[in-house]
């Protein structure tokens, strides 16, 4: 143990704690990195050949560092005792009960961690907020730890910006690493210590430092801005469908303006994932709690448009397929909230499957990584849903395909073969605009992209080309 230059602990071995710590250990063999969690199954999986999350490139990084300077265990007490720096990366979901239910962040896991740190610490430590938290949470942490920034503990904010599916690339070459601290002598010293860890592989210019509250707020704002772009283009997709404009062309033309930029302008069935909705609602709640009603309403609209987009997708299927889905069978191509992950938290697929089942439609869910999660998410729908990994088998006898996740494999399927196995007339609802719509139409499908003219073999209400 004494051979290591620094001893780093991370509390919470989830989508963030696991990959971020694996990257620190991988890049910095001189540090001991210990990741702990209360969930023993998760820890067992991190210690196995079958890691608990799917993330391209993750195995390579974990397998290289694990056992060398990267360790996973449930021994939280020992971990705290020996650590110099403690990252807190526990979940901060939306509260489901009491004051702020459905909006505010649930800080109970985070608070428990703070108390545990206090109980088990025998030496001074730097505590790093990795979890996404409301502004001024670091102050609450300081109060629990009985410090005002001058004592045994220094609390830093170091929000994580990785996106799932690209976590390893994002961690290897981050746009920025953000570190917020108190601007006191002790605060700046702690900040420099954390900077020196990242500086092992992140260029100095990409390590941004600020005061603690700005750092905490920046994380919520970054997610709100990203989600806002998606809701903006999705709102325009509805107008495109009414007017015959093509949302991809609009996004391209608009995004060519350097001031706007071309990223995060892909119209879709709606954004999902564990962060966007939760963090925006957290921001909305914060604004309301400070009496900023107009600001809160403004950001809440980003979430509302996302709900609207998912419902629009369902209603489009219903109305297109002759205003009844009862007894029909629809194949969902993809269930993960985005490609290259098995994560289904807040995936639009959950809402869409539930709505289809409400219409007495049978649903076949297909996904290369997310079927285990889908079975848990849709358990209450019982026999209305079946789960089939092979897309050809999944599509057989269906009336429609609905593309919900932009997996590359869906671009390369033999759609003529699929068409021949489906009930006619056969429909495609491309919730990601990833397929070759003209080719599908030529095969015989009636094709309904998002925000583009439909390609049908019959007349529609203004959506034909
Ligand atoms: N998932 C992402 O892509 C992402 C990206 C950036 C930031 N974040 C933020 O990071 C935080 C963690 O997110 P996540 O997706 O990794 O969550 P997660 O649910 O995958 O992991 C959190 C882990 O913390 C563990 N935990 C909870 N309380 C604990 C305790 N007292 N002691 C030890 N372990 C405990 C849980 O068992 C769980 O394994 C959240 O605040 C989230 O908003 C997530
Ligand atoms: O143009 C786009 C881009 C994304 N999406 C959807 O938006 C959702 C979120 O995608 P993405 O942001 O790529 O994945 P996340 O893993 O949720 O990452 C976001 O949330 C994380 C958690 O806070 C942050 O760390 C990341 O910076 C932020 O991108 C997914 O459903 C995507 O399909 C679109 O519909 N259109």
């Amino acid at each position: 143990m004494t051979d290591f230059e620094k001893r780093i602990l991370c509390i919470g071995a989830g989508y963030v704690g696991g990959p971020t710590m694996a990257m620190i250990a991988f890049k910095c063999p001189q540090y001991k990195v210990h990741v702990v969690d209360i969930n023993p199954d998760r820890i067992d999986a991190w210690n196995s050949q079958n890691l608990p999350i799917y993330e391209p490139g993750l195995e390579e990084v974990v397998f290289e560092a694990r056992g060398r300077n990267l360790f996973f265990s449930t021994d939280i007490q020992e971990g705290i005792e020996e650590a110099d720096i403690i990252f807190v990366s526990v979940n901060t979901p939306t509260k489901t009960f009491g004051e702020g239910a459905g909006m505010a962040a649930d800080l109970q896991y985070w608070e428990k961690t703070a108390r545990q740190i206090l109980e088990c610490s025998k030496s001074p430590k730097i505590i790093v907020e990795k979890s996404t938290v409301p502004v001024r949470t670091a102050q609450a942490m300081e109060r629990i730890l009985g410090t005002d920034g001058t004592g045994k503990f220094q609390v830093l904010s170091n929000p994580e910006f990785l996106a799932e599916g690209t976590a390893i690339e994002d961690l290897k070459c981050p746009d920025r690493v953000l570190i917020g601290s108190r601007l006191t002598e002790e605060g700046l010293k702690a900040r420099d210590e954390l900077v020196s860890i990242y500086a092992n592989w992140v260029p100095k210019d990409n390590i941004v430092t600020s005061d603690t509250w700005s750092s905490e707020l920046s994380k919520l704002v970054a997610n709100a801005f990203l989600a806002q772009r998606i809701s903006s283009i999705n709102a325009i997709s509805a107008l495109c469908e009414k007017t015959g404009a093509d949302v991809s062309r609009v996004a391209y033309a608009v995004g060519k303006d350097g001031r706007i930029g071309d990223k995060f302008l892909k119209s879709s069935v709606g954004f999902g994932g564990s962060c966007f909705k939760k963090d925006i609602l957290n921001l909305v709640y914060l604004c309301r709690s400070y009496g900023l009603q107009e600001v809160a309403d403004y950001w809440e609209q980003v979430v509302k448009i996302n709900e609207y987009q998912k419902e629009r997708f369902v209603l489009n299927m219903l109305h297109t397929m002759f205003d009844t889905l009862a007894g029909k069978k629809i194949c969902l191509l993809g269930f993960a909230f985005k490609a290259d992950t098995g994560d289904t938290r807040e995936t639009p697929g959950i809402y869409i499957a539930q709505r289809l089942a409400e219409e007495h439609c049978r649903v076949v869910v297909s996904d290369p990584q997310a079927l285990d999660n889908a079975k848990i998410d849709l358990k209450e729908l019982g026999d209305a849903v079946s789960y089939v990994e092979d897309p050809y088998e999944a599509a057989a006898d269906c009336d429609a395909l609905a593309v919900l996740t932009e997996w590359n494999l869906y671009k390369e399927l033999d759609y003529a073969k699929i068409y021949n196995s489906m009930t006619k007339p056969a429909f495609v609802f491309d919730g990601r605009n990833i397929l070759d719509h003209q080719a599908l139409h030529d095969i015989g499908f009636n094709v309904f992209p998002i925000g583009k003219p439909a390609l049908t073999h019959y007349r529609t209400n203004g959506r034909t080309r």
Side-chain angles (χ1 to χ4, degrees):
M1 186 172 83
T2 43
D3 292 335
F4 291 110
E5 211 175 278
K6 278 181 190 139
R7 286 151 301 173
I8 295 171
L9 176 75
C10 177
I11 304 181
Y15 284 86
V16 168
T20 46
M21 292 304 120
M23 184 56 69
I24 292 179
F26 179 74
K27 292 286 187 184
C28 315
Q30 69 276 30
Y31 307 151
K32 177 179 178 182
V33 182
H34 184 183
V35 190
V36 292
D37 202 289
I38 40 174
N39 180 343
D41 294 338
R42 222 169 201 186
I43 291 298
D44 286 348
W46 279 113
N47 281 322
S48 75
Q49 289 302 104
N50 202 4
L51 301 182
I53 59 176
Y54 171 72
E55 199 58 66
L58 176 66
E59 288 188 351
E60 198 182 292
V61 171
V62 171
F63 295 164
E64 167 86 23
R66 199 174 60 191
R68 177 188 74 185
N69 64 328
L70 175 65
F71 305 92
F72 294 93
S73 87
T74 51
D75 200 341
I76 301 175
Q77 183 175 342
E78 189 200 300
I80 294 173
E81 273 173 23
E82 71 167 26
D84 306 307
I85 298 177
I86 301 179
F87 287 81
V88 180
S89 186
V90 298
N91 34 330
T92 50
T94 303
K95 215 174 157 195
T96 55
F97 55 88
E99 174 66 23
M103 300 289 287
D106 183 349
L107 295 174
Q108 61 172 308
Y109 309 102
W110 175 90
E111 196 203 333
K112 258 181 215 131
T113 316
R115 291 184 189 282
Q116 251 172 328
I117 293 173
L118 180 64
E119 202 179 293
C120 304
S121 291
K122 293 182 182 138
S123 54
K125 295 177 196 305
I126 296 173
I127 315 299
V128 185
E129 275 177 355
K130 200 40 135 169
S131 300
T132 304
V133 289
V135 195
R136 297 199 86 90
T137 298
Q139 191 174 42
M141 171 76 91
E142 284 177 351
R143 287 188 179 148
I144 293 170
L145 296 175
T147 172
D148 58 358
T150 55
K152 188 163 139 189
F153 299 101
Q154 280 299 323
V155 182
L156 301 176
S157 159
N158 173 220
E160 183 49 58
F161 296 101
L162 69 79
E164 287 179 32
T166 53
I168 294 303
E169 267 318 297
D170 294 342
L171 289 167
K172 266 189 189 148
C173 306
D175 284 349
R176 81 310 211 176
V177 166
L178 177 60
I179 301 174
S181 69
R182 280 193 175 269
L183 303 177
T184 57
E185 196 185 328
E186 294 97 328
L188 295 176
K189 195 167 157 237
R191 179 197 77 184
D192 290 346
E193 178 113 359
L194 188 54
V195 168
S196 74
I197 294 179
Y198 285 108
N200 279 287
W201 78 97
V202 179
K204 275 259 162 67
D205 282 353
N206 292 7
I207 303 179
V208 178
T209 56
S210 83
D211 67 90
T212 317
W213 323 135
S214 304
S215 171
E216 289 177 331
L217 184 56
S218 299
K219 172 64 196 177
L220 297 181
V221 173
N223 273 355
F225 272 53
L226 288 168
Q228 182 201 44
R229 286 173 70 91
I230 302 170
S231 280
S232 296
I233 200 68
N234 281 344
I236 295 304
S237 76
L239 184 60
C240 287
E241 286 168 26
K242 294 285 184 201
T243 56
D246 179 326
V247 75
S248 302
R249 292 185 180 145
V250 174
Y252 181 75
V254 170
K256 269 292 199 191
D257 185 327
R259 293 169 302 174
I260 296 173
D262 61 355
K263 301 220 171 77
F264 264 67
L265 285 181
K266 280 202 199 82
S267 187
S268 66
V269 62
F271 61 74
S274 65
C275 294
F276 279 175
K277 185 175 172 190
K278 158 178 94 74
D279 294 347
I280 295 171
L281 292 178
N282 186 345
L283 184 67
V284 170
Y285 182 77
L286 267 175
C287 293
R288 290 227 165 97
S289 66
Y290 284 108
L292 302 172
Q293 191 59 38
E294 286 76 6
V295 186
D297 292 348
Y298 174 74
W299 287 109
E300 193 168 27
Q301 201 57 30
V302 173
V303 175
K304 286 188 178 161
I305 287 287
N306 200 49
E307 306 300 328
Y308 166 75
Q309 187 75 349
K310 292 187 276 188
E311 178 63 9
R312 230 167 57 72
F313 191 74
V314 173
L315 291 182
N316 188 24
M317 288 198 265
L318 174 67
H319 296 320
T320 302
M321 296 170 77
F322 321 115
D323 286 313
T324 174
L325 296 175
K328 292 198 169 91
K329 200 168 155 194
I330 296 184
C331 172
L332 304 186
L333 285 179
F335 195 77
F337 82 96
K338 63 188 279 196
D340 292 324
T341 176
D343 194 352
T344 60
R345 292 179 291 178
E346 295 294 339
T347 182
I350 297 175
Y351 178 83
I352 289 164
Q354 283 167 343
R355 286 287 287 110
L356 293 177
E358 260 171 45
E359 294 293 335
H360 294 188
C361 180
R362 286 171 300 152
V363 180
V364 186
V365 180
S366 192
D367 192 287
Q369 290 293 340
L371 285 194
D372 288 346
N373 282 333
K375 285 176 194 165
I376 298 167
D377 297 332
L378 304 179
K379 199 166 159 226
E380 82 219 25
L381 301 183
D383 293 345
V385 187
S386 50
Y387 307 87
V388 183
E389 190 171 331
D390 180 70
Y392 294 100
E393 226 181 282
D397 298 327
C398 285
D399 297 86
L401 308 173
V403 180
L404 301 192
T405 313
E406 71 281 23
W407 287 105
N408 271 335
L409 82 101
Y410 298 144
K411 297 180 198 161
E412 287 146 21
L413 297 176
D414 179 347
Y415 282 96
K417 181 174 156 184
I418 289 178
Y419 179 78
N420 288 334
S421 75
M422 289 176 65
T423 301
K424 309 295 180 313
F427 297 85
V428 173
F429 298 91
D430 187 353
R432 294 291 182 166
N433 286 343
I434 55 166
L435 303 183
D436 182 339
H437 300 142
Q438 189 58 55
L440 291 173
H441 184 251
D442 293 346
I443 289 169
F445 282 105
N446 296 296
V447 186
F448 288 78
I450 296 268
K452 293 170 189 262
L455 296 172
T456 68
H457 295 281
Y458 54 89
R459 292 189 64 78
T460 59
N461 300 335
R463 283 202 67 193
T464 33
R465 237 176 212 165

